[in-house]
Every structure is written in structure tokens, then in C-alpha cells.
């Protein structure tokens, strides 16, 4: 694979990085870099990523503490906050992102905290890890940005061990509220309109997609992803099935229980939530 090294400069419009024959641009727009460099260090971001970790570990351990050291893959790691919250509790973390400047920032932050995280530049459509090598694979807000999302999910499924967990968050075509584009009700736009704004976002109007080099091109529902992963031997849980109600009050337990048991209420719950969240457990057989 041929590559060309470019100087990374953070004071220009575009932050350059290594480009390769993969066809992916590993650079970053300065506005995009600045936003995620700042947002990834907020208390809210740290809390959000910690909750993801704790939910996955609770389900992996079936409610009991996980004492063994797990192999964890953080695909689309960005500035590495999700990777760091796993490293800080002793797990072996492998992180990958297409955005080299953000990846370098994650590598720097890990070194400052004394964590050993395997950060690699690459693409989710071709992961660098062996078959069934990961206990946990996490891909947050990623597959909506890759046109060939099936190849991404196939790769995630490939690297997860039997009994392991694949956890993804992505766009929700059912909910009118979204953060990918600065346009009202965008997730409900007809496909033709979406293609128009996607093109504008990567040409003349990058502010429409918050300056992302790869704006969202896919819109999912939990049910679509559940069906796709079932064919690959995964059993999937939605956000309501993942909830830990052990410390909740009676009213919350009743509401969550009703949503879990009633398909119509579960569908309405999906319509009312901004993103799609899915946790899938790979069959051991």
C-alpha cells in the first residue's frame, strides 16, 4: 500500500495526515478536530463512556463483577476517551480510527495517564485483528458514516469471540431528532433530499454536518440491525432491555417492564429516542 506523509498543522482550516491507498482520507477539518478534542474531555463525555463500559461489563458478567482481563476493541475511537475508561479498569484496549490527528491526540492522552493502548490508523471495513480475538467490540456513532456499513458490521462480528459482545450506537431513522445534520427533522427526509444535503456537506456547505469529512449517509432502526446480526449468530438487546432497574424506584420498574413486554410500547420508545443503541451477544455454538 502506497502512502504519503503530510505535516499535521492545527492552525489551518484542514489538519493533514497520512494518506494511503485505502481510499480513505485520514485528515481532519480543523473545526471538527477542535470540537471533538474539547468535547471528548468534558465531564459529560467521560460519564457517558463510563456508563457504556459499565453496561457492557454488567451484561458480559451476567450481573457479577468481571474479574478477568478482557480484550476490547474500540472502533472509531476518535480522541480515545472510550479507550481510556476501559484501560483504567485494567482491560487490554485496541483502538482504531480513520482520523489520524484525533488518533494522535488519543495516543498522547493515554501516554500522559500511563496507559498502554494499541492505537492504529485504519478503517472499520478492514480491521487489523484476527478472527474471534476480542471479548468486546465497541463502535460508537460510526456505521452511519460509512456507505458500506455491512462490511463494517461483518468485520465487527468476525473479531468478536463466541460469548463476546458487540455494542454499537448509531443514527435512528425512526426519531425526528438527530445531531448529524443541522437541519430540523432530517432523519425523516426522503432519500433524495438526504443525498442532496450529503453532497452539499462535503462540498460547499460543510457546516451542515458539523464539518465531518464523512457525514452520516445511513439511517437505521434497532430492528434492522437486530435482524442483520441474527443472521450472523448474535442475540441482540435494545436500550430498554439493557437498562439496570435494580436501583430504580417502583414507578421506573413498572414503566420499563411495560415497555419490555409490549412490542408497541417498545416501538414507540424507539421513536422517542434520538439514536439507535444495540448490544449483541455472539452465540457460543
Amino acid at each position: 500500500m502506497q502512502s504519503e506523509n503530510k505535516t499535521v498543522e492545527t492552525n489551518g482550516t484542514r489538519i493533514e495526515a497520512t494518506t494511503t491507498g485505502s481510499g480513505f482520507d485520514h485528515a481532519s477539518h480543523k473545526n471538527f478536530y477542535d470540537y471533538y478534542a474539547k468535547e471528548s474531555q468534558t465531564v459529560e463525555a467521560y460519564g457517558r463512556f463510563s456508563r457504556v463500559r459499565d453496561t457492557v461489563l454488567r451484561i458480559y458478567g451476567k450481573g457479577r463483577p468481571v474479574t478477568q482481563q478482557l480484550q476490547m476493541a474500540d472502533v472509531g475511537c476518535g480522541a480515545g476517551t472510550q479507550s481510556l475508561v476501559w484501560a483504567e479498569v485494567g482491560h487490554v484496549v485496541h483502538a482504531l480510527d480513520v482520523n489520524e490527528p484525533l488518533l494522535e491526540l488519543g495516543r498522547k492522552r493515554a501516554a500522559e495517564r500511563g496507559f498502554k493502548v494499541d492505537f492504529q490508523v485504519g478503517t472499520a471495513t478492514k480491521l487489523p485483528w484476527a478472527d474471534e480475538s476480542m471479548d468486546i467490540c465497541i463502535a460508537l456513532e460510526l456505521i452511519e458514516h460509512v456507505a458500506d456499513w455491512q462490511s463494517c458490521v461483518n468485520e465487527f462480528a468476525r473479531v468478536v469471540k463466541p460469548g463476546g459482545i458487540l455494542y454499537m450506537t448509531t443514527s435512528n431513522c425512526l426519531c425526528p431528532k438527530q445531531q448529524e445534520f443541522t437541519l430540523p427533522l432530517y432523519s425523516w427526509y426522503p432519500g433524495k433530499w438526504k443525498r442532496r444535503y450529503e453532497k452539499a456537506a462535503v462540498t460547499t456547505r460543510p457546516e451542515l454536518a458539523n464539518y465531518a469529512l464523512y457525514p452520516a449517509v445511513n439511517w437505521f432502526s434497532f430492528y434492522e440491525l437486530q435482524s442483520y446480526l441474527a443472521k450472523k449468530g448474535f442475540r441482540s438487546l435494545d436500550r430498554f432491555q439493557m437498562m439496570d432497574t435494580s436501583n430504580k424506584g417502583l414507578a421506573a420498574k413498572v414503566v420499563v417492564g411495560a415497555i419490555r413486554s409490549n412490542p408497541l410500547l417498545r416501538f414507540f420508545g424507539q421513536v422517542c429516542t434520538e439514536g439507535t443503541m444495540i448490544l449483541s451477544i455472539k452465540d457460543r455454538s
Side-chain angles (χ1 to χ4, degrees):
M1 180 181 295
Q2 294 182 344
S3 64
E4 178 184 357
N5 293 324
K6 298 183 179 181
T7 302
V8 177
E9 297 180 352
T10 58
N11 59 351
T13 299
R14 182 179 174 81
I15 304 173
E16 301 293 348
T18 302
T19 58
T20 70
S22 65
F24 287 90
D25 187 343
H26 298 296
S28 182
H29 192 286
K30 181 180 184 298
N31 291 28
F32 184 84
Y33 176 93
D34 289 347
Y35 171 80
Y36 279 100
K38 181 179 179 180
E39 194 278 337
S40 61
Q41 283 197 309
T42 63
V43 173
E44 293 77 12
Y46 185 84
R48 183 171 65 252
F49 291 133
S50 296
R51 288 191 295 273
V52 168
R53 177 199 63 199
D54 295 344
T55 295
V56 172
L57 288 175
R58 172 172 51 81
I59 295 174
Y60 184 89
K62 299 179 181 179
R64 299 177 180 176
V66 176
T67 57
Q68 73 267 37
Q69 189 179 62
L70 301 179
Q71 299 288 328
M72 179 270 191
D74 182 9
V75 187
C77 64
T81 306
Q82 180 72 71
S83 297
L84 298 184
V85 301
W86 283 81
E88 72 182 10
V89 294
H91 298 294
V92 180
V93 182
H94 309 266
L96 178 140
D97 202 278
V98 72
N99 188 312
E100 189 171 0
L102 279 179
L103 193 82
E104 284 294 332
L105 179 59
R107 187 177 286 124
K108 177 183 177 182
R109 288 175 176 175
E112 289 173 348
R113 297 185 60 182
F115 296 145
K116 292 183 179 180
V117 176
D118 174 29
F119 285 103
Q120 296 191 48
V121 177
T123 167
T125 59
K126 190 175 182 181
L127 299 179
W129 309 306
D131 294 357
E132 300 183 353
S133 57
M134 300 293 168
D135 298 291
I136 308 294
C137 180
I138 292 181
L140 304 181
E141 300 172 11
L142 171 66
I143 59 174
E144 67 269 26
H145 300 287
V146 184
D148 184 12
W149 66 268
Q150 294 93 337
S151 290
C152 294
V153 178
N154 293 346
E155 281 290 274
F156 304 159
R158 176 183 66 80
V159 302
V160 173
K161 297 177 183 178
I165 286 177
L166 166 60
Y167 181 97
M168 294 187 291
T169 59
T170 185
S171 56
N172 183 4
C173 65
L174 300 177
C175 180
K177 186 178 180 182
Q178 51 80 45
Q179 295 182 344
E180 296 298 332
F181 280 75
T182 57
L183 294 164
L185 307 179
Y186 182 83
S187 53
W188 284 0
Y189 284 20
K192 184 177 180 180
W193 291 12
K194 285 180 179 175
R195 301 294 88 80
R196 172 186 173 187
Y197 288 114
E198 288 163 13
K199 182 177 180 180
V202 297
T203 54
T204 59
R205 299 188 62 190
E207 73 279 2
L208 287 177
N210 298 310
Y211 299 93
L213 282 183
Y214 297 102
V217 294
N218 301 311
W219 297 84
F220 301 93
S221 71
F222 167 80
Y223 306 101
E224 176 186 7
L225 293 174
Q226 178 187 41
S227 177
Y228 189 87
L229 284 162
K231 297 173 184 177
K232 298 190 171 297
F234 283 80
R235 174 175 60 87
S236 297
L237 309 178
D238 66 17
R239 66 175 66 243
F240 307 108
Q241 294 167 309
M242 290 182 227
M243 288 180 178
D244 181 8
T245 60
S246 61
N247 296 318
K248 303 294 184 182
L250 178 60
K253 290 180 179 178
V254 170
V255 170
V256 173
I259 292 174
R260 287 173 174 173
S261 61
N262 188 306
L264 185 59
L265 287 178
R266 284 180 67 193
F267 178 81
F268 182 71
Q270 296 291 346
V271 173
C272 293
T273 50
E274 190 170 323
T276 296
M277 184 183 297
I278 184 168
L279 184 150
S280 304
I281 305 166
K282 192 171 188 178
D283 292 344
R284 292 186 179 274
S285 57

